[in-house]
Amino acid sequence: MALRNGSRAEVRAALLSARERTLRLARDYQAALGPAARIPYAAETNPPLWELGHLAWFQEWWIARNPQRALGVRADPDAPRTAPLLAQADAWYDSSRVQHRARWELPLPDRDGTLGYLASTLAGTLALLDALPGDAGDDALYFFRLTAAHEQMHAEAAVYMARTLGVPLKDDATPGVAGPRREIHLPAQRFPLGFSGPGFAFDNELGVHEVDLRAFAIDAEPVTWGAYLPFVQAGGYDDPQWWTEAGRAWLTGLPERGTAAWQPGLRDDAIAVHLSAHEADAWCRWAGRRLPTEAEWECAALQGGSFRWGQVWEWTASAFLPYPGFTPHPYRDYSQPWFGTRRVLRGASAATDPAMAHARLRNFFEPHRRDILAGFRSVV
């Protein structure tokens, strides 16, 4: 992930690249949905205009309006802020305080007003970044790196939200194909799990600690449709022995059994995507295997040599929990509220910006989600 240790110039390039992608996706949404881009309420989505305004607000809140931005992770998130460029921005776009359902009812600016807010806040951000010395360190660059990463995360969310809504995009987020199925064997070891600097990291990655790993064999690539579909064809969705209690409860709410993403004509070696953690767990039981822990996944990604990742986010067996000594960073709502309610995914998807991809990055979602670009690999 270039943002972890990129220079001031590289961070600037990342901010501009993220914004270019944001605007490209916004044009695709407008073409499909009209200028207002109205969509029905759903728990997994946000109104597209709200998303754009939120990106501008987030950048302004943590950079232009943040009097302690130079302190990096030591900044007080509650330090008094100056007024926003839009008088009602805090009431409209603060995701920590604006309830999800309420976002559909807010009197937001129209498309032109929202794009103007995006342009104005980015101009302020770049001016402040350019005023830093060329050798600016991690503290001075922290919030600029954070906002670039935040915008790229929302761009990926816009990609999978478009799939849910049927919005055609110019961005191709289709996973690639896998080679012949093979395994990577790794020996028993004490593995240092977690990120250590210098550079940027999310708070949930910090706190390096050693984990005892038994010897294991892990798929070199994620599971393909050719490997997954025999489970479906064998009646795996109707056989409760393969499903956890939570998985069986999830199945009762499905409108129909079977995977939602497979389409006739897909190649057998195409990497399987849009699968929930419950489906990944069930397939592994059926196949006599299991999901890797996040420590096993990270170990394989760093030591496995031919370990191939980056096509889909990959479910692990690990609950999203803090590492020892966890301390929240100023953006306190990034990690802490979700501990214990989410499952860890590792890797990256075809819609993840390359600047974001890092073997120690921890993604996290509720295990029932299948709208995200997620698949899995297995271990024995």
Side-chain angles (χ1 to χ4, degrees):
M1 177 178 170
L3 286 176
R4 291 194 185 263
N5 53 17
S7 66
R8 185 189 67 176
E10 289 170 321
V11 173
R12 193 182 205 279
L15 286 162
L16 290 171
S17 175
R19 182 54 49 85
E20 180 184 4
R21 187 183 187 195
T22 292
L23 296 177
R24 183 172 67 249
L25 289 166
R27 289 192 292 270
D28 289 343
Y29 270 80
Q30 181 188 21
L33 303 173
R38 300 189 189 282
I39 62 172
Y41 172 77
E44 293 81 16
T45 63
N46 274 311
L49 276 183
W50 183 91
E51 283 272 310
L52 295 176
H54 168 73
L55 291 174
W57 174 88
F58 188 94
Q59 196 171 99
E60 186 185 23
W61 176 265
W62 288 115
I63 297 177
R65 299 174 61 195
N66 181 6
Q68 296 191 10
R69 63 180 174 272
L71 298 179
V73 297
R74 294 177 289 113
D76 178 2
D78 298 320
R81 297 305 205 265
T82 55
L85 292 175
L86 287 181
Q88 297 300 313
D90 291 347
W92 289 336
Y93 300 123
D94 185 348
S95 58
S96 298
R97 296 178 173 84
V98 180
Q99 291 185 355
H100 185 254
R101 183 64 182 88
R103 297 169 193 174
W104 273 257
E105 314 300 334
L106 295 169
L108 301 176
D110 63 13
R111 176 181 170 81
D112 288 343
T114 303
L115 293 178
Y117 184 37
L118 272 168
S120 297
T121 53
L122 179 61
T125 292
L126 294 177
L128 291 168
L129 179 62
D130 291 343
L132 295 176
D135 59 354
D138 289 340
D139 285 343
L141 292 174
Y142 175 82
F143 287 106
F144 296 94
R145 289 167 170 165
L146 173 67
T147 56
H150 174 261
E151 188 153 346
Q152 283 292 6
M153 288 178 173
H154 277 267
E156 179 164 358
V159 171
Y160 62 73
M161 192 169 82
R163 290 189 165 204
T164 298
L165 297 170
V167 171
L169 299 178
K170 296 181 180 66
D171 284 35
D172 181 13
T174 302
V177 298
R181 191 171 179 189
R182 55 197 170 82
E183 293 181 334
I184 296 169
H185 294 260
L186 289 156
Q189 59 186 286
R190 286 182 64 79
F191 177 72
L193 180 64
F195 179 86
S196 61
F200 174 88
F202 292 102
D203 54 11
N204 64 64
E205 301 169 13
L206 297 173
V208 176
H209 56 291
E210 291 192 333
V211 179
D212 288 315
L213 298 180
R214 300 175 63 181
F216 64 99
I218 187 169
D219 295 331
E221 302 189 52
V223 169
T224 63
W225 285 121
Y228 189 83
L229 286 176
F231 165 70
V232 181
Q233 295 159 352
Y237 280 78
D238 297 310
D239 191 337
Q241 70 173 311
W242 309 126
W243 300 82
T244 63
E245 182 178 353
R248 290 193 293 271
W250 174 76
L251 277 175
T252 62
L254 285 182
E256 60 184 30
R257 298 294 174 91
T259 178
W262 181 82
Q263 300 287 337
L266 276 175
R267 295 171 48 160
D268 280 354
D269 57 358
I271 294 171
V273 67
H274 291 300
L275 296 171
S276 71
H278 301 307
E279 290 167 296
D281 281 330
W283 183 91
C284 286
R285 286 185 176 82
W286 172 81
R289 300 176 70 82
R290 62 177 175 83
L291 289 177
T293 65
E294 65 171 319
E296 288 171 330
W297 193 100
E298 187 172 305
C299 177
L302 294 173
Q303 299 181 11
S306 59
F307 186 89
R308 181 171 176 248
W309 60 276
Q311 295 296 303
V312 290
W313 289 104
E314 300 178 30
W315 292 107
T316 72
S318 299
F320 182 53
L321 296 171
Y323 287 167
F326 172 81
T327 301
H329 282 183
Y331 180 26
R332 290 178 296 202
D333 283 351
Y334 179 70
S335 301
Q336 195 167 37
W338 317 117
F339 289 143
T341 64
R342 303 296 194 265
R343 183 85 71 89
V344 173
L345 301 97
R346 288 304 196 100
S349 80
T352 306
D353 186 88
M356 289 292 299
H358 193 277
R360 297 196 189 273
L361 180 65
R362 305 174 80 198
N363 201 355
F364 47 96
F365 278 95
E366 294 168 301
H368 69 268
R369 294 283 294 270
R370 350 152 96 163
D371 59 311
I372 58 176
L373 300 166
F376 68 99
R377 74 182 72 214
S378 66
V379 164
V380 66

